[in-house]
């Protein structure tokens, strides 16, 4: 039982490049979340999903897209990377029966 | 808008000192409350949570927190900190009947031997 896994751990992008941050959980959790963590700002919710095929915007969705084709996977897509997207990205998941979220190890992204 | 405030941004303590980190939220309804901890280089882990019942909740590693509804507060405490408590601490609120967590900005704790 690996919990929530994220790849890659680190990535440097040039402005305008695109990439997908991967998130997978093996706990059969219906709910999955993407956050970004900026210094001194706490965690901000980007997108979330309450089940396969269902996604919704969080607090800071601009510049990102998500999909949820399976229960296990919840990839986050950056289409045109901008320096403002330099951040640490965390994926989290939970069941529908509890409000405790379980976090992945994070992806540190730098856009230059 | 719903928000969570952590007024202590950076706390520096010596080992064995007592710790109290403040957390206040702005939401008038029922809430679930959490403290998460992020050790250097690691991901967020649940420290403790309050859903209902006894407002004084105990978590891992000797931490506890008290929910004071009249003050909209959920302060984290530990009687005697250790060097290994060096980490960033996040308070989070889950407004009842929503599926989202609202995080505070975090408090960085440094404990020196």
């Amino acid at each position: 039982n690996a919990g929530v896994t994220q790849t890659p751990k680190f990535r440097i992008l040039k402005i305008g490049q695109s990439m997908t941050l991967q998130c997978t959980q093996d706990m059969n959790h219906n709910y999955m979340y993407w956050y970004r963590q900026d210094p001194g700002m706490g965690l901000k919710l980007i997108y979330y999903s309450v089940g396969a095929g269902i996604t919704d915007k969080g607090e800071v969705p601009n510049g990102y897209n998500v999909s949820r084709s399976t229960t296990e996977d919840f990839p986050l897509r950056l289409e045109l990377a901008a320096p403002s997207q330099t951040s640490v990205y965390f994926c989290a998941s939970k069941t529908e029966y509890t409000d405790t979220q379980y976090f992945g190890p994070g992806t540190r992204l730098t856009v230059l | 808008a719903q928000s969570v405030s952590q007024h202590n941004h950076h706390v520096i303590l010596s080992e064995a000192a007592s710790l109290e980190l403040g957390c206040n939220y702005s939401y008038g309804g029922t809430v679930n409350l959490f403290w998460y901890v992020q050790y250097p280089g690691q991901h967020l882990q649940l420290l403790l949570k309050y859903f209902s019942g006894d407002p004084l909740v105990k978590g891992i590693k000797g931490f506890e927190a008290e929910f004071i509804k009249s003050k909209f507060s959920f302060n984290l405490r530990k009687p005697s900190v250790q060097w290994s408590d060096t980490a960033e601490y996040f308070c989070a609120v889950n407004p009842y009947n929503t599926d989202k967590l609202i995080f505070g900005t975090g408090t960085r704790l440094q404990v020196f031997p």
Side-chain angles (χ1 to χ4, degrees), chain A residues 31 33 35 37 40-45 48 50 57-58 90 94 98-106, chain B residues 9 32 34 36 38 41-46 49 51 88 90 94 98-106:
Chain A
Y31 290 69
Y33 303 82
Y35 296 91
Q37 182 186 22
M41 300 294 290
L43 278 77
K44 301 291 186 184
L45 181 64
Y48 69 104
V50 301
K57 295 178 181 178
F90 288 100
K94 77 174 189 74
T98 177
D99 293 300
T100 301
Q101 295 185 18
Y102 297 87
F103 285 81
Chain B
H9 298 295
N32 298 320
F34 303 79
Y36 279 86
Q38 186 178 27
Q42 297 187 27
H43 57 94
L44 277 80
Q45 305 170 41
L46 182 66
K49 60 186 178 184
F51 283 8
E88 191 150 17
F90 293 93
N94 163 239
T98 72
D99 299 309
K100 302 176 192 177
L101 281 178
I102 303 167
F103 282 87
T105 53

Side-chain angles (χ1 to χ4, degrees), chain A residues 47-98:
Chain A
Y47 270 95
Y48 69 104
S49 168
V50 301
I54 306 168
T55 62
D56 210 344
K57 295 178 181 178
E59 190 180 355
V60 289
N62 291 343
Y64 306 94
N65 278 300
V66 293
S67 59
R68 184 92 183 273
S69 55
T70 66
T71 299
E72 295 78 19
D73 300 306
F74 190 40
L76 178 71
R77 178 100 179 139
L78 283 71
E79 290 295 348
L80 291 170
S84 61
Q85 294 177 305
T86 293
S87 190
V88 181
Y89 291 84
F90 288 100
C91 180
S93 72
K94 77 174 189 74
T95 74
E96 61 266 44
Y97 307 113
T98 177

Side-chain angles (χ1 to χ4, degrees), chain B residues 9-10 29 48 53 61-62 67 72 95-96 103 110:
Chain B
H9 298 295
H10 191 188
L48 50 78
K61 302 186 180 184
F67 171 48
F72 298 91
Y96 187 69
F103 282 87
Q110 281 184 292

Side-chain angles (χ1 to χ4, degrees), chain B residues 7-29:
Chain B
H7 303 294
N8 314 105
H9 298 295
H10 191 188
V11 174
I12 301 172
L13 295 173
S14 298
E15 276 193 317
S18 64
L19 170 72
E20 180 159 3
L21 301 181
C23 173
N24 289 88
Y25 63 93
S26 63
Y27 181 74

Side-chain angles (χ1 to χ4, degrees), chain B:
Chain B
Q2 299 156 359
S3 65
V4 178
S5 298
Q6 291 182 245
H7 303 294
N8 314 105
H9 298 295
H10 191 188
V11 174
I12 301 172
L13 295 173
S14 298
E15 276 193 317
S18 64
L19 170 72
E20 180 159 3
L21 301 181
C23 173
N24 289 88
Y25 63 93
S26 63
Y27 181 74
T30 302
V31 294
N32 298 320
L33 298 154
F34 303 79
W35 276 97
Y36 279 86
V37 59
Q38 186 178 27
Y39 297 104
Q42 297 187 27
H43 57 94
L44 277 80
Q45 305 170 41
L46 182 66
L47 200 56
L48 50 78
K49 60 186 178 184
Y50 171 81
F51 283 8
S52 63
D54 188 344
L56 183 63
V57 292
K58 296 189 184 298
I60 60 172
K61 302 186 180 184
F63 285 91
E64 64 178 32
E66 185 176 12
F67 171 48
I68 303 179
K69 190 174 180 179
S70 61
K71 295 185 178 180
F72 298 91
S73 70
F74 189 54
N75 293 354
L76 181 71
R77 300 193 294 248
K78 185 171 184 179
S80 176
V81 295
Q82 300 172 310
W83 175 79
S84 58
D85 293 326
T86 293
E88 191 150 17
Y89 293 80
F90 293 93
C91 181
V93 170
N94 163 239
Y96 187 69
N97 261 349
T98 72
D99 299 309
K100 302 176 192 177
L101 281 178
I102 303 167
F103 282 87
T105 53
T107 297
R108 184 176 171 216
L109 172 66
Q110 281 184 292
V111 180
F112 289 97

